Amino acid sequence: MSDSPSAAPVVLDLWCELECPDCHQALSDVHALRARYGDRLEIRLRHFPLEKHKHAYAAAQAAEEAVVQGKGWPYIEAVLARTAALSRAGEPLLLEVAGELGLEAEEFDTALIDGRHLLIVDADQAEGKAIGVTGTPTYVIGDERLDGGRSQEGLRARIEEIADRLLAGRD
C-alpha cells in the first residue's frame, strides 16, 4: 500500500438532506460515479438539513447512528428512497428502515433521544453554510461547488470532468 498523494482518492462532498426529493434523484448520479471511479473517488455525505423538512434533522442523526453500526450508505440510500414516506411518517420510518437493515432499532431510538450525533450534524451544516451551501444537493469537488438544488442537469458530467482532471493531475 502506498502513502503517496496519488494513492489518495479524489473527495466529493455531497451536501445532502434525507427528506429532500432532489437528493433522492441525485442517488442515480452517486451510483454512476461509484461505478465509474470505484475507490478512486470518495463520496462523503455531509448533512445539511433544511428547515422546511421537519424530519430532516432526525434523519441526519439516524444516518450517523447507521454509520456507527456499520451500514451508513445502505441506510442513507434506503431513507432517500422513501423521502415522501419520511415526510408523512417521521421518526417511526427511520426506526423501521434500521430494523429492515438489521441494525439495532432500539439504539437508533436512544440516539435520537440523547442527541449523541448532534455535533456531527451541526458541524456539517455550519461548514456548509460557511462555504455557501444554501440548498441540497450541493456537491463540492476540488475547489468547486456545484448546486444541484436548482437543476441536476449536466451535474454528473461536470463532476466527472473535474474528477478526471484531478485524477490526471496525480499521475
Side-chain angles (χ1 to χ4, degrees):
M1 186 164 138
S2 171
D3 288 332
S4 70
S6 63
V10 169
V11 174
L12 171 65
D13 282 330
L14 168 56
W15 300 87
C16 184
E17 193 239 68
L18 299 182
E19 196 175 344
C20 171
D22 291 330
C23 290
H24 168 81
Q25 297 299 324
L27 261 183
S28 62
D29 287 338
V30 168
H31 292 151
L33 291 166
R34 279 191 189 137
R36 177 172 175 168
Y37 295 102
D39 60 4
R40 296 180 306 139
L41 179 68
E42 178 185 353
I43 302 172
R44 298 188 308 197
L45 182 102
R46 306 298 301 274
H47 301 289
F48 202 79
L50 302 169
E51 288 184 23
K52 67 182 179 179
H53 295 132
K54 67 181 182 176
H55 305 295
Y57 204 84
Q61 293 177 72
E64 286 303 314
E65 182 59 29
V67 169
V68 168
Q69 293 191 31
K71 292 192 178 176
W73 273 106
Y75 185 84
I76 290 161
E77 291 184 17
V79 173
L80 279 174
R82 303 178 194 180
T83 54
L86 178 58
S87 293
R88 289 188 307 275
E91 288 184 25
L93 178 81
L94 299 173
L95 300 175
E96 179 182 317
V97 171
E100 289 171 4
L101 293 174
L103 300 170
E104 292 198 26
E106 194 172 301
E107 197 61 30
F108 266 77
D109 195 33
T110 302
L112 292 173
I113 292 167
D114 71 18
R116 67 183 73 158
H117 303 298
L118 289 174
L119 291 177
I120 294 169
V121 176
D122 288 346
D124 274 2
Q125 191 168 41
E127 185 179 338
K129 286 180 181 177
I131 63 168
V133 175
T134 58
T136 58
T138 296
Y139 304 87
V140 176
I141 183 169
D143 58 358
E144 296 192 46
R145 188 181 75 238
L146 306 166
D147 182 0
R150 294 193 181 106
S151 171
Q152 293 179 62
E153 188 167 326
L155 272 183
R156 183 174 46 184
R158 182 71 182 122
I159 291 166
E160 290 173 348
E161 176 185 309
I162 296 166
D164 289 344
R165 183 181 74 232
L166 293 171
L167 288 166
R170 294 175 178 202
D171 294 336

